[in-house]
Amino acid sequence: MICDEAQKIKVPTAMVTKAAKAQKADFKIACTGTPVENSLVDLWCLFDFIQENLMGSLSEFNKEYRRPIEKKDDEDNAIIDELRQLIEPQVLRRMKHDVAELPAKHEINDCKNIEISTLQRTLYKQVSNDYRSLSEQGHKGVMLKALHDMRMICAHPFQEKATIKDSPKAEWLINTLETIKQKNEKVIIFTEFRAIQVFLKRLLLERFGLNVTTVNGDSNTNSRVGLTRQGIIDKFQETNGFNVIILSTVAVGFGVNIQKANHVIHYTRSWNPAKEDQATDRAYRIGQDKEVFVYYPSIAADDFETFEIKLDKLLSSKRSLADDMLKPNVELTQELIQSIY
């Protein structure tokens, strides 16, 4: 039994995990580019599928390995080495640069300092003041709502009279796409938010005359109902010249190939850098014959750190650990969320 995209069986209590483990097979292989996405429980779950009880029960694994390693105690290197030796006979790990000759990949950094607009600043301050007022009154969940609102304000201020000048990230996008259009190249825009997807689709129709395809959780996966997601993407790739497709990081972050695109724009950021890198790898994979350019446009202010700047710093620090599968590229904890605010 071979499982591709095996990180989907990382949650011990999930139905897909239980279904995979219920299959009777003499030999099992789990293929994944991100064996540890959130915590070392992901690793335990994969190995419990491959060879049950290799790492003991989940409670035993948590006590002996996960907690000491994730707490980053001084002595955790010895525990990490012990865990490496335990799984080494079962692991064949190859990085992309080990097995494929690909063109260069470039991260464009000059888009990480897009100046906040006056309207965005006003809305941002209002959200901050509302958060302080509601939190002092003991309202629950106000921090997550405030962060979501700040995130959306940075992406685009949804106000009735807002113009493109009030949305500097959208203005940056138009200018960037104009440059890419002159090169006759293709673009993937990633955002998981439906409101942003709809806004961008309308914007690109108005500015470029493109009836852009959006692929998200609503898109068909059953070919009997209509084009599959890969079918929709293949149609996008077969179109000659400049074109843009909008994808959900969550719904289409893995499992599809879009090598005809060589510009990847993360219009809004994922909480998890591993998922972001998976999304980028829809274009940066075997079969890509052009240099790939990756953009993380971020709204910034001179007098304070915006949500997007703080999130970028946190994701960058976590991404530096990405090559070590035993040092989890974790999603943001409550403490990290508080540090963003």
Side-chain angles (χ1 to χ4, degrees), residues 125-137 141-147 150 338 341:
K125 184 177 181 180
Q126 181 181 326
V127 169
S128 180
N129 290 339
D130 289 347
Y131 163 76
R132 290 190 177 91
S133 175
L134 290 172
S135 61
E136 288 173 1
Q137 296 173 31
V142 292
M143 179 183 292
L144 291 177
K145 183 182 183 306
L147 289 175
M150 290 175 178
Q338 287 175 340
Y341 183 80

Side-chain angles (χ1 to χ4, degrees), residues 30-135:
C31 303
T32 175
T34 51
V36 179
E37 280 192 336
N38 296 330
S39 79
L40 283 174
V41 171
D42 302 355
L43 190 74
W44 176 87
C45 204
L46 285 173
F47 276 93
D48 194 56
F49 160 72
I50 296 166
Q51 185 173 336
E52 189 176 357
N53 293 322
L54 175 68
M55 298 181 179
S57 67
L58 179 57
S59 60
E60 292 170 339
F61 176 78
N62 283 336
K63 180 180 178 181
E64 293 187 27
Y65 296 108
R66 180 193 172 193
R67 292 193 187 102
I69 291 172
E70 293 187 358
K71 278 170 42 180
K72 300 181 180 175
D73 294 335
D74 292 339
E75 64 270 17
D76 71 352
N77 285 337
I79 300 172
I80 289 176
D81 289 340
E82 181 182 328
L83 182 55
R84 285 193 208 284
Q85 292 175 18
L86 179 63
I87 67 174
E88 185 177 12
Q90 308 277 4
V91 174
L92 177 63
R93 191 158 195 242
R94 295 289 184 269
M95 306 303 288
K96 189 171 295 185
H97 54 74
D98 295 327
V99 297
E101 292 186 9
L102 290 173
K105 180 172 67 173
H106 307 279
E107 182 176 320
I108 308 303
N109 290 314
D110 60 6
C111 62
K112 288 189 174 184
N113 194 30
I114 303 171
E115 186 177 355
I116 192 169
S117 71
T118 301
L119 177 59
Q120 284 176 316
R121 182 183 287 273
T122 300
L123 295 172
Y124 207 94
K125 184 177 181 180
Q126 181 181 326
V127 169
S128 180
N129 290 339
D130 289 347
Y131 163 76
R132 290 190 177 91
S133 175
L134 290 172
S135 61

Side-chain angles (χ1 to χ4, degrees), residues 266-310:
H266 292 275
Y267 195 83
T268 57
R269 308 292 299 273
S270 169
W271 291 111
N272 189 322
K275 292 180 180 177
E276 249 183 13
D277 293 341
Q278 269 193 327
T280 297
D281 286 348
R282 299 313 93 215
Y284 191 64
R285 60 198 303 106
I286 294 172
Q288 177 60 260
D289 57 6
K290 296 179 181 178
E291 292 187 351
V292 172
F293 300 88
V294 185
Y295 310 79
Y296 302 100
S298 305
I299 296 297
D302 293 334
D303 52 335
F304 69 96
E305 281 196 327
T306 65
F307 168 88
E308 290 193 330
I309 295 301
K310 288 188 176 183

